[in-house]
């Protein structure tokens, strides 16, 4: 498979502010690739560098092997779905969708036919003659999508396109976006700060923080094998326990849990001493063969799940999730429980 | 909190202000329809002074002056609007540059400097560079002082148009020029039109600067009226004044309506980054 977008050591500074500190990414052709990270981590900046709205301070950006770092936005075969849609308010929906083709010199009949097809694809054919202001937020979002897809770009950039929609619509659009990506075969680079969105849609995810890529991988990779504390904490829920590492070899660590129990688990760290151990709450079970002993503080009812909030001897908090099945009897507050770590539940992190 | 309407003396004060502002205008407008030649005694309703303006002994002089005023206002407003649009783009779209604050002050300074000072300075400048006063000098002076008036509504409008529209156009393969012509300019149009109308009115109305730089024998409507009034006020002056007032009111109303319509138009949906 060829590489669609190849970014090497991209640095972007705005005067004294450095938004990106050497980002390297290889996004494959026909991939749904997500940039995920908290607000201000540089996701939009990276997207704008690919689109050409900002010039890179140092580093390289290649599109299917071609160096595009110095090209004007109109010379890059890349289109963007803007966070606020940026539909042209004085043009009709159809004219908006046909705009890119018009600029490429496609004749009126052809471009209107293609724009009509695009509107059909996003189920908005009957709105072709409306003005953007006469559409709902969800409809505007689809117009923006149709407009960006109409010129058949090699890569589509999407900057938090779902963030202005309500929950139900957002969930429906996730499925639709993924379907659209598979149908068109266009590489999607999708920006979000919503991890659920990222996990459900993406082929691969790059987790960013503070202008750096922390980890790149499939949803399963980053959820089950986070490389550092930031990724483990940002993706899903996790317990971070301070532990003493006795020895590390070949990606596995032997360590002492609070309470004295010794275990061996996968490790992203290569040094001994004090480190953080990540334990996913749903991989802990209440069991007499205990690795940890805890005292229950509270049980929170979450519908599909029960969340048990407890603390270990020594005071470190620990949370577990039990499925709310018929046979589950939740523990009572104050009760002492033994916790068993399932295989793969724990992972030692680098800091 | 009580509204300002409830402060004691508010109503009489308001009425006083309105009377002082508008009573003279009303008197002029009413007496322009006076049947007698007196400017104080009412001699019944008549349109004779309006007829006099267009056919009377001074008709040719006023006609020439009106033509000068109109062509100068058209050219000055148009030129000033083009310059002001370019200035607004540079100030608000070119990103931070050295001397941005100073440029802003320079553009708007003419609004603060007393007109008489500008008039004297402009005259001295023209005579220094050896330009003979006349139509051209009036035109140059008008273009200059019209720029800030055209600039203000255009810049205000441009500030309200988000940069993402132009970026979206560029992203969709528009060149810089196409993005401006097809996207930004139409969105900017209400500001451009009201800037042009404002500049047009300011030019049409100007007396002080024009009077300094016009040279002998060259008249605009305001200087021609002033010339006539020096020989005593005749009712035909009131008719001309009323006509000018009418034109001004029409233009200002148009500017207001266009601006208001434009403000409602581009609703920006979604949230902004
Ligand atoms: N034009 C600019 N001038 C100066 N600093 C900027 C500029 N644009 C972005 N930054 C800074 O760069 C950093 C990254 O910004 P960016 O917009 O890429 O964040 P983001 O990850 O998209 O955040 P969000 O999720 O809030 O949209 C921020 O610290 C921001 O303050
Ligand atoms: Mg952003």
């Amino acid at each position: 498979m060829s590489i669609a977008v190849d970014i090497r050591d991209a640095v972007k500074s705005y005067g004294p502010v450095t938004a990106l500190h050497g980002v390297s990414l290889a996004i494959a052709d026909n991939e749904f690739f997500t940039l995920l990270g908290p607000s201000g981590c540089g996701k939009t900046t990276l997207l704008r560098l690919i689109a050409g709205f900002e010039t890179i301070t140092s580093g390289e950006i290649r599109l299917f092997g071609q160096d595009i770092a110095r090209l004007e936005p109109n010379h890059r075969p890349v289109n963007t779905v803007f966070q606020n849609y940026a539909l042209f308010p004085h043009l009709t929906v159809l004219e908006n969708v046909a705009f890119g083709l018009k600029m490429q010199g496609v004749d009126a009949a052809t471009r209107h036919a293609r724009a009509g097809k695009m509107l059909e694809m996003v189920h908005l054919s009957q709105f072709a003659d409306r003005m953007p202001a006469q559409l709902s937020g969800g409809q505007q979002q689809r117009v923006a999508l149709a407009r960006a897809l109409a010129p058949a770009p090699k890569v589509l950039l999407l900057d938090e396109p779902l963030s202005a929609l309500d929950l139900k619509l957002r969930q429906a659009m996730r499925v639709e976006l993924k379907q659209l990506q598979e149908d068109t075969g266009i590489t999607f680079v999708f920006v979000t700060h919503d991890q659920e969105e990222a996990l459900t849609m993406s082929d691969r995810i790059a987790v960013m923080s503070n202008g750096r890529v922390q980890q790149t991988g499939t949803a399963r990779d980053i959820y089950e094998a986070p490389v550092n504390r930031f990724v483990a904490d940002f993706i899903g829920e996790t317990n971070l326990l301070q532990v003493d590492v006795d020895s590390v070899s070949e990606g596995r660590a032997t360590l002492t849990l609070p309470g004295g129990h010794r275990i061996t688990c996968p490790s992203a760290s290569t040094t001994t001493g004090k480190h953080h151990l990540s334990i996913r709450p749903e991989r802990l079970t209440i069991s007499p063969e205990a690795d940890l002993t805890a005292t229950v503080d509270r049980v929170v009812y979450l519908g599909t799940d029960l969340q048990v909030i407890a603390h270990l001897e020594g005071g470190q908090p620990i949370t577990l999730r039990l499925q709310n099945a018929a046979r589950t009897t939740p523990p009572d507050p104050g009760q002492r429980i033994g916790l068993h770590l399932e295989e793969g539940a724990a992972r030692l992190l680098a800091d | 909190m009580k509204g300002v309407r409830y402060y004691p003396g508010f109503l009489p004060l308001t009425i006083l202000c309105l009377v002082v502002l508008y009573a003279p205008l009303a008197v002029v407008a009413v007496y322009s329809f006076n049947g007698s030649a007196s400017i104080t005694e009412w001699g019944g309703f008549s349109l004779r002074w309006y007829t006099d303006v267009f056919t009377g002994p001074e008709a040719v002089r006023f006609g020439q002056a009106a033509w000068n005023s109109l062509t100068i206002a058209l050219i000055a407003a148009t030129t000033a609007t083009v310059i002001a649009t370019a200035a607004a783009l540079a100030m608000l779209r070119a990103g931070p540059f050295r001397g941005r604050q100073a440029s802003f002050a320079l553009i708007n300074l003419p609004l603060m400097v007393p007109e008489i000072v500008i008039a004297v300075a402009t005259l001295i400048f023209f005579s220094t560079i050896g330009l003979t006063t006349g139509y051209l000098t009036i035109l140059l002076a008008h273009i200059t002082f019209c720029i800030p008036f055209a600039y203000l509504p255009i810049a205000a409008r441009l500030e309200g148009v988000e940069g993402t529209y132009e970026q979206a156009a560029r992203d969709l393969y528009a060149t810089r020029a196409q993005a401006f012509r097809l996207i930004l300019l139409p969105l900017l149009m209400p500001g451009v039109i009201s800037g042009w109308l404002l500049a047009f009115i300011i030019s049409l109305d100007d007396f002080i600067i024009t009077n300094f730089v016009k040279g002998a024998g060259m008249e605009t409507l305001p200087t021609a009226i002033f010339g006539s009034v020096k020989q005593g006020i005749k009712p035909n002056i009131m008719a001309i004044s009323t006509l000018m007032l009418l034109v001004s009111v029409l233009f200002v109303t148009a500017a207001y309506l266009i601006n208001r319509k434009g403000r409602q138009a581009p609703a920006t949906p979604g949230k902004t980054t």
Side-chain angles (χ1 to χ4, degrees):
Chain A
M1 201 185 278
S2 63
I3 293 175
V5 185
D6 192 5
I7 298 166
R8 291 199 198 142
D9 304 316
V11 174
K12 176 64 191 174
S13 307
Y14 297 100
V17 183
T18 303
L20 295 176
H21 303 265
V23 166
S24 297
L25 281 178
I27 301 170
D29 190 14
N30 198 4
E31 189 171 30
F32 197 120
F33 193 91
T34 298
L35 301 173
L36 173 66
S39 186
C41 71
K43 310 178 293 288
T44 298
T45 304
L46 188 54
L47 214 60
R48 290 170 62 80
L49 283 180
I50 303 173
F53 305 137
E54 305 282 357
T55 47
I56 195 164
T57 307
S58 73
E60 277 182 50
I61 308 177
R62 292 178 176 278
L63 198 81
F64 292 95
Q66 186 202 0
D67 183 2
I68 59 163
R70 303 283 150 201
L71 289 185
E72 292 278 303
N74 53 324
H75 294 306
R76 300 185 186 200
V78 167
N79 289 147
T80 308
V81 177
F82 289 83
Q83 192 165 4
N84 61 358
Y85 315 144
L87 298 179
F88 306 131
H90 59 299
L91 302 181
T92 65
V93 165
L94 191 76
E95 287 168 336
N96 261 281
V97 177
F99 188 85
L101 296 165
K102 186 176 174 185
M103 294 302 103
Q104 288 179 320
V106 176
D107 66 90
T110 316
R111 69 174 185 255
H112 286 138
R114 170 135 177 99
K117 244 199 217 110
M118 285 293 141
L119 285 176
E120 218 168 277
M121 191 176 70
V122 296
H123 317 298
L124 284 176
S125 298
Q126 70 271 39
F127 297 110
D129 296 324
R130 290 226 193 150
M131 300 310 277
Q134 298 168 312
L135 300 181
S136 74
Q139 291 163 342
Q140 290 180 12
Q141 206 274 322
R142 288 160 197 255
V143 176
L145 203 58
R147 182 177 73 173
L149 284 170
K154 288 185 173 169
V155 174
L156 186 74
L157 309 174
L158 305 102
D159 192 357
E160 307 204 24
L162 308 184
S163 62
L165 307 180
D166 65 42
L167 183 65
K168 276 271 177 262
L169 198 53
R170 200 152 69 217
Q171 287 170 339
M173 278 308 293
R174 279 179 201 163
V175 180
E176 226 172 288
L177 267 182
K178 179 70 186 152
Q179 189 65 46
L180 212 55
Q181 191 269 325
E182 283 168 10
D183 292 349
T184 56
I186 292 172
T187 306
F188 277 31
V189 182
F190 184 89
V191 161
T192 184
H193 61 257
D194 180 335
Q195 45 138 329
E196 198 185 317
E197 216 165 87
L199 294 176
T200 51
M201 290 193 293
S202 320
D203 294 320
R204 284 194 308 147
I205 300 167
V207 182
M208 293 179 68
S209 103
N210 290 324
R212 289 193 173 83
V213 172
Q214 303 292 332
Q215 185 173 3
T216 308
T218 62
R220 186 175 285 273
D221 287 341
I222 60 165
Y223 187 78
E224 300 197 359
V227 294
N228 61 26
R229 208 178 138 180
F230 175 83
V231 176
D233 206 17
F234 189 72
I235 308 295
E237 238 185 310
T238 198
N239 293 293
L240 291 172
L241 296 187
Q242 274 240 310
V243 293
D244 281 311
V245 181
D246 304 325
S247 67
V248 196
S249 74
E250 287 167 10
R252 289 186 75 81
T254 305
L255 53 93
T256 311
L257 290 171
H261 208 95
R262 280 174 64 128
I263 60 161
T264 308
C265 72
S267 172
S269 164
T270 52
T271 55
T272 56
K274 286 220 180 292
H275 280 289
H276 281 94
L277 184 71
S278 164
I279 305 172
R280 294 292 182 191
E282 71 279 9
R283 296 287 182 85
L284 277 170
T285 47
I286 300 176
S287 160
E289 347 156 18
D291 298 301
L292 291 161
T293 316
T295 308
V296 176
D297 296 319
R298 260 177 330 124
V299 178
V300 182
Y301 181 81
L302 296 174
T304 56
D305 283 0
L306 293 171
Q307 186 183 34
V308 179
I309 300 169
H311 63 268
L312 302 174
E313 295 152 52
Q316 293 200 63
I318 190 156
T319 304
L320 59 148
R321 274 184 183 242
L322 307 174
Q323 240 179 31
N324 190 9
R327 59 191 160 71
T328 311
T329 37
D332 297 314
Q335 188 181 332
R336 277 169 65 84
I337 50 175
L339 298 175
H340 175 67
L341 297 178
E342 289 176 18
E343 180 53 35
R347 186 176 166 82
L348 192 69
L349 302 174
D351 277 315
Chain B
M1 205 185 85
K2 279 212 247 173
V4 67
R5 280 186 289 151
Y6 297 99
Y7 283 99
F10 174 74
L11 189 65
L13 192 65
T14 307
I15 290 172
L16 182 71
C17 286
L18 289 177
V19 165
V20 170
L21 272 173
Y22 290 108
L25 289 180
V27 168
V28 167
V30 169
Y31 272 85
S32 69
F33 295 104
N34 194 356
S36 83
S38 160
I39 59 159
T40 48
E41 272 168 52
W42 183 248
F45 180 85
S46 150
L47 289 176
R48 63 182 276 211
W49 300 115
Y50 286 90
T51 320
D52 185 77
V53 166
F54 292 104
T55 57
E58 288 186 302
V60 176
R61 198 168 82 86
F62 280 129
Q64 187 56 48
W67 174 252
N68 289 341
S69 271
L70 213 62
T71 54
I72 287 170
L74 277 173
I75 301 170
T78 307
T79 315
T81 303
V82 171
I83 295 171
T85 306
L89 287 174
M91 293 296 294
L92 298 169
R93 282 298 198 266
F97 57 91
R98 260 182 58 203
R100 193 164 168 274
Q101 283 298 324
S103 308
F104 183 77
L106 277 179
I107 292 168
N108 289 299
L109 204 60
L111 297 175
M112 266 82 84
V113 176
E115 218 187 324
I116 186 72
V117 176
I118 297 181
V120 173
T122 311
L123 180 62
I124 292 172
F125 174 71
F126 284 146
S127 67
T128 308
I129 64 169
L131 213 55
T132 335
T133 50
Y135 190 89
L136 184 66
T137 50
I138 302 176
L139 188 60
L140 290 175
H142 278 223
I143 290 171
T144 313
F145 70 70
C146 280
I147 291 172
F149 291 96
Y151 177 82
L152 290 178
I154 296 171
R157 176 76 193 172
L158 185 57
E159 252 172 274
V161 177
E162 277 187 57
T164 46
Y165 293 122
E166 292 142 87
Q167 282 168 6
R170 300 276 280 132
D171 189 56
L172 292 162
Y173 313 107
T175 61
R176 252 173 231 281
Q178 284 171 324
F180 175 73
R181 191 163 50 80
L182 299 173
I183 302 301
L184 187 57
L185 194 57
L187 295 179
L188 212 53
M189 221 16 139
V192 170
I193 292 174
S194 59
W196 186 89
L197 288 172
L198 202 58
F200 183 84
I201 285 300
I202 294 292
S203 164
L204 202 64
D205 279 356
D206 182 73
F207 173 72
I208 300 178
I209 295 174
T210 311
N211 201 35
F212 271 72
V213 301
K214 73 184 173 64
M218 178 59 62
E219 301 286 0
T220 63
L221 212 42
T223 63
I225 291 173
F226 184 72
S228 290
V229 169
K230 274 198 291 198
Q231 279 118 49
I233 299 178
K234 277 177 292 166
N236 64 341
I237 296 300
M238 295 195 183
I240 292 182
S241 303
T242 308
L243 287 172
M244 279 188 82
L245 180 66
L246 192 69
V247 170
S248 294
V249 168
L250 283 177
F251 272 77
V252 170
T253 310
Y256 171 76
L257 289 178
I258 288 166
N259 223 353
R260 199 180 57 166
K261 181 153 165 280
R263 203 157 294 155
Q264 294 162 343
T268 317
K271 73 166 211 200
T272 52
T273 324

